[in-house]
Amino acid sequence: PAEEKSTRSTGELDFENLLNQIINSIQKKPNDKITFNEAKSVIAQLNQRLNRLYDDEKAEKFLQSMDLNRDQSTDLKKFKTELLKTLEY
């Protein structure tokens, strides 16, 4: 029997797995931060794989809203959480 690890839907888990795969393929030095350039690459690859278009302006505003200390990076966990909230499954 399959074990249930979460109460989240299969679509949500699939999307989160895809997001993690893309992040892992992009991050040069995996850690708890993601640079804006890495984050923009993640969004671009999601656009391509999901056949969606999140334009650069929206992506830039999204990332700037998370850059509270103005260092052109953000917490990776926060990035994933906020990105998952903005996208429909």
Side-chain angles (χ1 to χ4, degrees):
E3 291 181 29
E4 288 235 8
K5 294 183 180 181
S6 172
T7 58
R8 294 182 295 177
S9 71
T10 302
E12 186 175 348
L13 290 173
D14 289 346
F15 182 78
E16 189 169 352
N17 287 336
L18 174 61
L19 179 58
N20 286 329
Q21 287 174 7
I22 292 171
I23 289 170
N24 291 338
S25 73
I26 287 174
Q27 274 197 314
K28 291 180 172 88
K29 295 180 183 178
N31 58 35
D32 61 348
K33 290 280 223 186
I34 186 166
T35 68
F36 278 16
N37 285 336
E38 291 169 338
K40 285 179 184 178
S41 294
V42 168
I43 292 169
Q45 284 196 30
L46 282 173
N47 279 339
Q48 184 178 18
R49 293 204 186 169
L50 299 176
N51 247 357
R52 296 183 183 186
L53 180 60
Y54 298 98
D55 62 33
D56 287 338
E57 187 177 326
K58 275 187 179 177
E60 190 74 31
K61 285 180 182 179
F62 173 74
L63 294 170
Q64 286 176 354
S65 74
M66 290 190 291
D67 186 21
L68 299 178
N69 63 358
R70 306 282 184 233
D71 68 351
Q72 295 294 295
S73 69
T74 193
D75 177 77
L76 181 57
K77 187 174 181 178
K78 180 179 177 182
F79 171 73
K80 286 190 214 181
T81 301
E82 293 302 316
L83 189 58
L84 288 169
K85 282 183 196 176
T86 63
L87 301 174
E88 295 175 8
Y89 298 107

